Amino acid sequence: MPRNVNTKQLQRIFKGEDLEFRITEYPVKFDGALILEDLLLPCDLKFNESDLGHLVFKNCRFLGNISFNQTQMNLLSFEGCEFRDVDINECEINELNLNDSTLVKRFHIGGSAINSLNIERNPIFEAIEVACENNILQASINDNGHSEQNSFKSTIYLCPERFDSMVLKNNVSEILHIGTIGQYSSFEIDSYCANLFLFSNCNSSDSKVSFQNLQPLDPSAASVCIVNSERIVAMKQEGVFSDFKHIRKYVQRVEDINQFRSLAS
């Protein structure tokens, strides 16, 4: 049973001052809206089976990892923050924003229901993962990655179980791995630079799919790998990968797909 907390009590949890929460990770219920600005969060934070209302972090620095499991939120927004790992699993969130981060190592969403997802203007990251079993109505993933600033071997991985609309514009990463193009969905990629474009199990004929301006970071080494994805093979014939010298088609077991990520090294 979640414990009701007020604004002051929730602030103490984020500041690492609630020792009971740090030890037991008791579920919490917060009905209000909390905006935390210019705050140093010194320790790992794990919210399990909680209800957190509206949470907004502005220009905060997370020294530990933060995770949300089986938690409900109307709004979770990170603006201009610095992170290690962020894990969101089996959550229900109306609106989730990750914008203008100074650094994020790993941002992972798995098995969650999200109405609106916005990941924008994050220049330095190692992994952004919208993984399997997610149900997302609308996603905008724009202006992430900076080839000169980002020293990580960065990956954007997208494989939600269901989505209505997904748009990627003006992104840069070492690897882009697309694990689905949805069913009866709209999927758009415009202006993306990477050294490995990996498409796996992208076969739906019912989705509206548009790829434009796909570019290699290193023209001599960049590859496109198409695994069990006849819809992408058809798009290849339309010239969407015309700037790539190395284009490979595979029929492969799903469990072996991850080995192709090494091709970008």
Side-chain angles (χ1 to χ4, degrees):
M1 186 75 176
R3 183 185 306 182
N4 287 306
V5 297
N6 59 31
T7 299
K8 186 175 181 180
Q9 290 171 316
L10 190 57
Q11 287 176 330
R12 291 186 70 249
I13 288 174
F14 284 117
K15 291 177 181 179
E17 297 171 353
D18 186 330
L19 297 183
E20 181 186 357
F21 180 84
R22 290 174 62 179
I23 294 169
T24 67
E25 300 170 359
Y26 61 83
V28 301
K29 180 177 176 59
F30 175 71
D31 292 325
L34 177 63
I35 299 175
L36 297 171
E37 192 164 0
D38 299 317
L39 183 68
L40 179 68
L41 294 90
C43 56
D44 289 349
L45 294 164
K46 297 181 181 180
F47 291 92
N48 301 304
E49 300 179 338
S50 297
D51 188 339
L52 293 173
H54 288 65
L55 288 181
V56 178
F57 300 88
K58 293 183 176 181
N59 304 315
C60 293
R61 186 182 180 198
F62 294 76
L63 297 185
N65 300 324
I66 184 167
S67 66
F68 302 91
N69 300 286
Q70 297 181 337
T71 291
Q72 296 183 6
M73 288 169 278
N74 190 51
L75 172 66
L76 176 59
S77 187
F78 300 100
E79 309 286 342
C81 298
E82 179 181 334
F83 304 97
R84 293 176 61 187
D85 289 357
V86 181
D87 273 296
I88 299 168
N89 293 290
E90 298 183 40
C91 293
E92 295 182 11
I93 305 173
N94 183 48
E95 181 180 342
L96 173 58
N97 302 315
L98 175 70
N99 297 331
D100 301 298
S101 300
T102 56
L103 183 151
V104 54
K105 188 174 181 183
R106 178 174 174 266
F107 186 81
H108 174 88
I109 307 170
S112 297
I114 300 170
N115 286 339
S116 177
L117 172 64
N118 302 287
I119 302 174
E120 300 187 343
R121 301 178 304 279
N122 302 286
I124 303 174
F125 64 90
E126 184 170 10
I128 294 172
E129 301 170 343
V130 183
C132 300
E133 299 181 357
N134 285 298
N135 289 291
I136 296 171
L137 291 184
Q138 176 274 329
S140 296
I141 302 173
N142 303 326
D143 301 299
N144 299 291
H146 192 294
S147 58
E148 295 181 358
Q149 296 179 15
N150 195 359
S151 61
F152 290 118
K153 184 177 177 180
S154 55
T155 298
I156 292 181
Y157 171 54
L158 305 175
C159 188
E161 181 176 335
R162 175 186 172 272
F163 62 91
D164 285 354
S165 173
M166 184 169 294
V167 177
L168 287 75
K169 291 186 177 180
N170 303 315
N171 295 288
V172 178
S173 65
E174 188 72 21
I175 300 169
L176 173 64
H177 183 178
I178 303 296
T180 180
I181 54 173
Q183 295 281 345
Y184 301 98
S185 305
S186 175
F187 187 91
E188 178 184 353
I189 303 176
D190 189 355
S191 298
Y192 202 115
C193 291
N195 270 341
L196 175 61
F197 287 85
L198 171 56
F199 300 91
S200 55
N201 302 299
C202 298
N203 289 305
S204 174
S205 61
D206 304 310
S207 294
K208 180 182 178 181
V209 182
S210 173
F211 295 167
Q212 299 182 74
N213 304 316
L214 305 187
Q215 300 289 329
L217 286 172
D218 181 351
S220 64
S223 299
V224 176
C225 292
I226 304 171
V227 185
N228 301 342
S229 300
E230 291 304 315
R231 179 72 184 273
I232 306 302
V233 172
M235 297 183 71
K236 170 182 174 292
Q237 307 305 320
E238 300 169 5
V240 297
F241 306 121
S242 59
D243 290 311
F244 291 81
K245 296 180 180 178
H246 310 292
I247 303 174
R248 303 177 175 92
K249 174 187 173 184
Y250 300 90
V251 177
Q252 192 74 28
R253 295 179 303 168
V254 173
E255 57 266 30
D256 293 336
I257 288 172
N258 285 335
Q259 70 174 315
F260 295 107
R261 292 190 180 190
S262 64
L263 294 173
S265 60

